[in-house]
Amino acid sequence: MVATSRITVVVPTRNEAHNIGTFLESLPAEVRLIVIDSSTDETPRTVVAERPENTTIVLAEANIPEARQLGADLVTTPWILYTDADVELAPDYAEQLARLQLGPDVAGIAGSKLTAGGHEAYHDAFKAGQALLDFVGIPAATGSNMLVRTDVLREVGGFDPALSVNEDTELMFRIKRAGYKVEYAPQLAVNSFDHRRLESGAFRKWFHSFTRCLLLWAAPKSRLVRKGDWGYWRQLAH
């Protein structure tokens, strides 16, 4: 069982003023939240106005893995829930979390990422892909919805700041290689409501993530695999 009192939510943000309110509304009031913000818009002020309690905001110019690690460095709870500002937690998220029966060797939990509306086929395929990879023994986590034991994250060295994308899955790979279990829990769902990346090419996004994750698993130290983002963030900019 993982009670909400045992988790801290860590969210990296960059110019998410249009999204952050929906995310905050889905978060249980008692859950601790750490926002690592690199915005030039109203995101941090919106967070302060809408969630003044149980919330810490750190202003820092950082890429995604650096932001996730900055959040981890401040966490004092046994578990960290990593998610993003462009999703909302399912209404029964806390209830499903409390129902989990975890062994002492479980150090990572990969939840599912669904949709609040639109691009249903992509999200169904994404969930099916997670289940398939889990079946063959490969952790398939998304940074929009993954839980990590705080002590184990620190034991394996935290996030790799050189990975500007797929840093979430790569961390789970190292946790499993360190001898811990990573469980797939599809009942722990978040719903995506900002589909800008998918609108610029759903197949491209799926192929990008699938290919890089498989290569990171098969050749974790390959410079070719780890170099750059393969156009991921440039695609969003256009």
Side-chain angles (χ1 to χ4, degrees):
M1 185 180 86
V2 183
T4 52
S5 61
R6 292 172 55 80
I7 70 171
T8 298
V9 176
V10 173
V11 179
T13 55
R14 185 184 294 271
N15 297 335
E16 295 284 359
H18 57 297
N19 284 331
I20 196 70
T22 301
F23 165 74
L24 293 174
E25 288 177 5
S26 74
L27 197 64
E30 71 274 10
V31 172
R32 303 171 206 182
L33 171 65
I34 297 176
V35 177
I36 308 298
D37 185 76
S38 304
S39 299
T40 58
D41 69 357
E42 296 295 311
T43 299
R45 287 174 284 278
T46 301
V47 174
V48 170
E50 297 195 13
R51 200 179 198 270
E53 303 295 329
N54 285 337
T55 302
T56 299
I57 302 177
V58 177
L59 304 180
E61 182 59 36
N63 66 16
I64 294 291
E66 290 170 341
R68 296 196 196 280
Q69 187 59 48
L70 283 171
D73 293 341
L74 298 175
V75 169
T76 58
T77 53
W79 287 87
I80 304 171
L81 168 57
Y82 283 103
T83 186
D84 291 316
D86 59 355
V87 303
E88 56 184 351
L89 275 63
D92 66 344
Y93 195 99
E95 179 183 349
Q96 294 293 345
L97 192 62
R99 289 179 178 175
L100 290 178
Q101 299 295 320
L102 304 177
D105 55 349
V106 175
I109 304 169
S112 59
K113 185 178 182 181
L114 308 179
T115 177
H119 296 279
E120 286 82 1
Y122 171 87
H123 287 89
D124 288 345
F126 185 90
K127 185 177 179 180
Q130 281 187 293
L132 176 61
L133 290 173
D134 178 72
F135 179 76
V136 299
I138 301 176
T142 166
S144 294
N145 186 15
M146 70 181 199
L147 289 112
V148 183
R149 256 178 52 188
T150 308
D151 60 338
V152 174
L153 182 148
R154 291 169 181 162
E155 177 186 325
V156 301
F159 289 91
D160 182 349
L163 275 176
S164 57
V165 66
N166 303 120
E167 79 294 333
D168 39 18
T169 304
E170 191 271 345
L171 174 69
M172 289 297 205
F173 288 174
R174 279 188 283 122
I175 287 174
K176 182 160 186 177
R177 288 192 174 103
Y180 296 96
K181 288 184 178 179
V182 176
E183 292 198 353
Y184 175 49
Q187 70 273 28
L188 288 178
V190 299
N191 296 312
S192 174
F193 56 84
D194 184 339
H195 303 302
R196 286 175 294 165
R197 294 192 188 97
L198 295 180
E199 289 163 359
S200 64
F203 177 79
R204 179 180 176 181
K205 184 179 185 300
W206 174 85
F207 185 77
H208 177 281
S209 297
F210 186 77
T211 303
R212 276 184 61 100
C213 288
L214 282 181
L215 290 174
L216 279 169
W217 175 259
K221 296 184 179 180
S222 169
R223 291 184 180 180
L224 179 63
V225 177
R226 304 176 76 90
K227 183 178 180 181
D229 63 7
W230 294 11
Y232 183 79
W233 295 112
R234 184 171 64 251
Q235 177 191 4
L236 179 60
H238 292 300

